[in-house]
Amino acid sequence: MLRKRLLFGLIIMFCLSLSILLADSIPLQVMYDNAGPGQGYDKLIILQPPQTYTGGFTQNVQSVCIQGNGAIIDIQDGTILVDGYEKVLDFDHCVFYSSTNNYCYILYLNDASGNIFNNTFYGFLNNQPESIALKFEECINDTSYIINNIFTGFEKVVYFYTLSYGAYMDGIDLYIENNLAWENLDDPWNGYGTYIGWGGWTGLPMPFIPITGNSELIEDPMFIYPDSLNFELTESSPCVDYGIEVGFSYNGNAPDIGALESPYNAFWGTKISGIITGELTTENSPYIIIDDITIPASDTLCIRPGVYIKINYQKVIDVEGKLNISGTESDSVYITNNSAYDIYWGNIIFRENSDDSSIIKHCTVEYGSYSWNFYGTISCLNDSITIIDNKFSKVGIIFCGSGNHSLIKNNIFWANTSFTGRCAVYCDSFSIPLIKENEFDGTYLYIRAANPFIYSNLFYGNNELPAQQWWIIRLIDQSDAIIQNNYLGNTHGGILINKSSANIVNNKIIDCDQGASFQHESNGYVYNNTLYNCSNFGVISSSGSCVHAVNNIIWSDTTMFDALRISGDAILLAEYNDLCTYFPGTGNIFEDPLFVDPTNFDLHLHENSPCINTGTPDTTGLNLPPYDLDGNPRIYGDRIDMGAYEWQGYAVDGWDQLIKQFYIRIILIHLASQQQFLF
């Protein structure tokens, strides 16, 4: 009797299997119901192309794996549903599409998770994006890994939802890298609609930046013929050899992205990590830093002109020896992140005993870490390095550690973001860097207990947005700085001196709400500056501060509340200034300074200006520089003039050259940002 029952059961299973094999498609639910345990899973589902599978299923066991082997799953109006704490659904090498309208292909609920590797998700229906590829709802305790997948033609690719405020603010619990997204509908951040998050207490779902985000692509995957469900890759596809190893066999140099491994090879870069010395040249460029690299003590790494470097999320170049980045004006080195998204790599850290002759020259740097302490994009913890002729965009700070006296010269620091006001250079305690002839667009200096020389720089903010309430130069905690021959404009505040001292000479401050503010027992000298259209005040001394203001022009053709202001028990000694509002002091005048062309910010003095030869008759002890803001002799004739520009006996033609160059540069930068590379 037992043998008859076993035989009958085998016949039934054989007939079922035969019917499945003869069918045009097989319900995925049937495959799930008939799957047994394997490879450590409660159910192991192995699909076999060219067989097509349809629909979804609801997982009722703890762990499931689908090995797709390139088979097509027509999800139709179904969903693969995984619901419950510690439930796991892993799947790889599956091709998902839907021949009918569908809301969501795969749904993870209530702390379910999975490894989603090397799949192709195709969402178009009648040439229109449809549905959600992957949705995670209240999955906040276990991390899902989404790697080496192709997503194209969806309303939302990955949608993460939670009502847990803390979990949402701490970071979305998904690990996403080496995926490609293309022609997906949601695009609220200019291409960043691929990954959508929603804390249920907020308004609308918003895009989030994937983490780690390494090697993410936003471009055409170049399928052979997707309309006929042929999702094989063409030879020129960006997906060829672009994946990372996750345990499956592959052709070529690396795994392909997507479900179908191609026979083609491609070179996307030389991957490096660990100890690196010698040279990086264009022959093996681009270089992809996949993990931290170290330049050992007494060794050197030279990065030659034209080299392109991509760095993975939060990875570091650790310099214990010497780093020489030596681009040229016509062929710079380019350092950026390794993603199509705004993710940030780590830092270039010059350790305390690293070589002081390290140099970074003619290098374009993007997406370096933005953080305080010694984890800026470039962290100078040693005595000195040279940072000249570089372009920094979407980037964090240059950090000058204790005692550091680096040269930071002729660089461009561009915020390149709707929210400007980011710190570009942080001078920490006892550092004494020379910050000279740089251009700061929407960025600022932060000086803490340091002694920098800030000379001949151009600072330009964005005062049109209410959020842009920041100071261009900030001195705090017993700092002592020389601020000379700089241009500062179009922002909330020019120079903030808090519990510090400053010597402010020959500067031009335009269209700032507040010019220079001395607070909390600060002290300083403000000599021969020109402040124009500062709507609130020009210079203020408050909270026990002591300020000496001599030979300045502080004027406005619009409303200015106070040219000079004193508050509380502070001291403000003002002499030989031209002021638009009254303030007592020897030699102060209150007459139109007669600038050459104030409408266009040409603040040179007209030949009839009352500021000519009306500065202090005795400059002894002022320690004035020998030249004015234009580089002309500081005193022409018998007596010094008021303001940053000295009358030279003839009309000076137009803007000074620094300002001309600055505006030309800004125009070029913004035009270049529309191209593939920033600079």
Side-chain angles (χ1 to χ4, degrees):
M1 180 64 68
L2 180 59
R3 290 182 178 178
K4 289 182 178 180
R5 289 179 178 176
L6 289 173
L7 180 61
F8 181 74
L10 290 172
I11 292 171
I12 293 296
M13 291 181 65
F14 174 77
C15 292
L16 177 61
S17 300
L18 183 62
S19 66
I20 289 174
L21 289 172
L22 294 175
D24 291 336
S25 62
I26 302 172
L28 195 60
Q29 182 71 57
V30 172
M31 298 297 296
Y32 175 82
D33 292 340
N34 288 279
Q39 299 182 17
Y41 296 93
D42 296 324
K43 285 182 177 289
L44 176 63
I45 303 172
I46 301 177
L47 308 182
Q48 297 294 338
Q51 182 65 63
T52 299
Y53 303 86
T54 57
F57 62 84
T58 298
Q59 181 173 322
N60 59 5
V61 296
Q62 200 68 21
S63 61
V64 174
C65 178
I66 305 175
Q67 294 179 358
N69 296 303
I72 293 177
I73 300 173
D74 179 2
I75 203 74
Q76 297 179 350
D77 59 353
T79 295
I80 298 175
L81 173 62
V82 193
D83 185 0
Y85 178 65
E86 292 188 348
K87 280 191 176 179
V88 173
L89 171 63
D90 296 343
F91 56 94
D92 65 86
H93 296 92
C94 300
V95 177
F96 292 94
Y97 90 105
S98 180
S99 59
T100 62
N101 290 324
N102 181 282
Y103 167 68
C104 177
Y105 284 15
I106 301 168
L107 175 59
Y108 289 86
L109 293 174
N110 301 315
D111 290 329
S113 63
N115 294 325
I116 303 163
F117 298 157
N118 283 99
N119 302 281
T120 297
F121 295 85
Y122 188 77
F124 283 114
L125 180 64
N126 299 322
N127 294 319
Q128 294 297 318
E130 289 284 334
S131 53
I132 300 169
L134 299 170
K135 185 176 182 181
F136 297 84
E137 188 169 327
E138 300 299 352
C139 297
I140 60 176
N141 289 311
D142 288 304
T143 300
S144 291
Y145 292 80
I146 304 171
I147 301 174
N148 291 354
N149 302 282
I150 297 173
F151 301 96
T152 182
F154 288 91
E155 291 184 354
K156 298 175 178 67
V157 168
V158 174
Y159 187 15
F160 183 93
Y161 173 88
T162 181
L163 285 170
S164 171
Y165 180 81
Y168 187 76
M169 298 307 294
D170 289 342
I172 291 173
D173 208 9
L174 300 174
Y175 185 100
I176 301 173
E177 66 179 21
N178 286 81
N179 302 285
L180 178 145
W182 182 245
E183 292 187 329
N184 298 299
L185 184 61
D186 264 318
D187 194 17
W189 281 358
N190 297 323
Y192 297 155
T194 298
Y195 305 113
I196 306 294
W198 187 17
W201 63 91
T202 65
L204 295 174
M206 292 296 292
F208 66 87
I209 302 300
I211 300 299
T212 66
N214 296 325
S215 297
E216 290 282 299
L217 295 174
I218 304 176
E219 55 185 290
D220 189 342
M222 301 183 70
F223 297 128
I224 288 180
Y225 198 40
D227 290 344
S228 297
L229 303 183
N230 185 346
F231 298 103
E232 294 181 359
L233 304 174
T234 63
E235 186 173 2
S236 55
S237 168
C239 302
V240 174
D241 285 3
Y242 200 78
I244 59 171
E245 295 187 30
V246 287
F248 304 108
S249 60
Y250 57 87
N251 302 315
N253 300 309
D256 294 349
I257 291 177
L260 303 172
E261 182 75 13
S262 75
Y264 309 118
N265 297 332
F267 173 74
W268 299 108
T270 303
K271 296 178 180 179
I272 58 175
S273 62
I275 294 175
I276 303 293
T277 61
E279 291 187 337
L280 302 184
T281 64
T282 54
E283 182 179 2
N284 296 309
S285 179
Y287 293 88
I288 303 172
I289 297 178
I290 60 173
D291 207 343
D292 296 348
I293 69 170
T294 299
I295 305 168
S298 302
D299 282 321
T300 300
L301 175 64
C302 295
I303 302 177
R304 296 307 184 193
V307 168
Y308 194 100
I309 297 175
K310 299 180 178 181
I311 307 180
N312 277 3
Y313 175 67
Q314 292 187 342
K315 300 309 176 186
V316 168
I317 300 175
D318 199 338
V319 184
E320 298 174 0
K322 178 180 177 180
L323 175 63
N324 185 351
I325 300 178
S326 55
T328 64
E329 186 173 0
S330 61
D331 198 9
S332 67
V333 173
Y334 194 94
I335 300 177
T336 188
N337 65 358
N338 185 26
S339 181
Y341 296 90
D342 288 347
I343 67 167
Y344 290 82
W345 51 274
N347 333 87
I348 302 175
I349 303 177
F350 293 88
R351 296 294 178 182
E352 288 83 349
N353 297 317
S354 61
D355 197 309
D356 292 344
S357 62
S358 290
I359 185 170
I360 301 175
K361 183 176 182 180
H362 287 300
C363 182
T364 296
V365 183
E366 287 185 329
Y367 295 109
S369 173
Y370 183 81
S371 58
W372 301 92
N373 301 320
F374 60 90
Y375 291 114
T377 299
I378 300 175
S379 297
C380 307
L381 308 183
N382 61 349
D383 287 340
S384 175
I385 70 168
T386 300
I387 304 172
I388 59 173
D389 300 317
N390 303 288
K391 303 177 180 70
F392 296 91
S393 173
K394 299 179 181 178
V395 74
I397 61 178
I398 294 177
F399 177 86
C400 298
S402 179
N404 181 270
H405 54 274
S406 291
L407 171 62
I408 304 171
K409 179 182 177 182
N410 200 33
N411 303 283
I412 297 172
F413 298 92
W414 185 34
N416 193 22
T417 173
S418 59
F419 185 87
T420 58
R422 301 190 73 176
C423 180
V425 180
Y426 184 121
C427 304
D428 202 16
S429 54
F430 310 112
S431 62
I432 48 174
L434 172 57
I435 303 170
K436 180 180 180 182
E437 298 172 4
N438 302 282
E439 299 173 11
F440 297 85
D441 181 12
T443 56
Y444 69 89
L445 303 183
Y446 191 89
I447 296 102
R448 174 186 169 274
N451 308 100
F453 182 22
I454 304 166
Y455 178 78
S456 196
N457 300 281
L458 302 172
F459 299 89
Y460 192 77
N462 184 350
N463 207 24
E464 297 177 2
L465 300 176
Q468 311 309 295
Q469 303 299 305
W470 48 279
W471 292 85
I472 285 178
I473 301 174
R474 308 181 192 182
L475 281 69
I476 67 167
D477 295 346
Q478 309 304 314
S479 292
D480 185 6
I482 298 174
I483 303 171
Q484 180 179 318
N485 283 54
N486 300 280
Y487 168 89
L488 302 87
N490 196 38
T491 189
H492 164 71
I495 305 169
L496 173 65
I497 306 95
N498 189 334
K499 297 181 181 179
S500 299
S501 59
N503 191 346
I504 303 173
V505 185
N506 274 1
N507 298 282
K508 183 176 180 180
I509 303 176
I510 298 176
D511 276 353
C512 294
D513 182 52
Q514 304 174 35
S517 177
F518 291 81
Q519 305 174 2
H520 303 293
E521 300 181 348
S522 296
N523 62 82
Y525 303 94
V526 183
Y527 298 156
N528 280 101
N529 302 279
T530 298
L531 290 80
Y532 181 67
N533 280 358
C534 295
S535 57
N536 194 335
F537 60 78
V539 178
I540 186 173
S541 178
S542 64
S543 308
S545 297
C546 181
V547 179
H548 189 198
V550 182
N551 295 346
N552 302 285
I553 299 174
I554 306 176
W555 197 261
S556 178
D557 290 329
T558 59
T559 300
M560 177 185 283
F561 290 107
D562 295 299
L564 297 174
R565 182 184 297 174
I566 189 168
S567 176
D569 58 348
I571 297 172
L572 177 52
L573 177 62
E575 301 175 299
Y576 300 97
N577 302 283
D578 187 6
L579 308 174
C580 61
T581 61
Y582 177 77
F583 195 91
T586 303
N588 290 335
I589 63 174
F590 310 96
E591 303 177 42
D592 187 335
L594 296 181
F595 297 128
V596 170
D597 187 5
T599 302
N600 291 309
F601 301 128
D602 181 357
L603 305 185
H604 293 88
L605 301 179
H606 188 273
E607 61 182 343
N608 296 322
S609 171
C611 300
I612 297 174
N613 292 332
T614 53
T616 177
D618 183 6
T619 60
T620 303
L622 297 183
N623 295 316
L624 292 173
Y627 303 103
D628 71 356
L629 186 55
D630 269 340
N632 294 317
R634 177 66 272 185
I635 300 178
Y636 178 86
D638 298 330
R639 188 169 167 180
I640 194 170
D641 298 343
M642 297 176 180
Y645 298 108
E646 186 80 5
W647 168 254
Q648 299 296 312
Y650 56 87
V652 178
D653 183 19
W655 291 2
D656 55 85
Q657 291 301 311
L658 283 176
I659 306 304
K660 287 182 180 178
Q661 293 170 9
F662 176 73
Y663 278 95
I664 292 171
R665 177 75 72 182
I666 294 303
I667 292 170
L668 292 176
I669 289 174
H670 283 271
L671 289 174
S673 69
Q674 307 303 315
Q675 308 302 318
Q676 181 179 4
F677 303 126
L678 178 61
F679 298 100

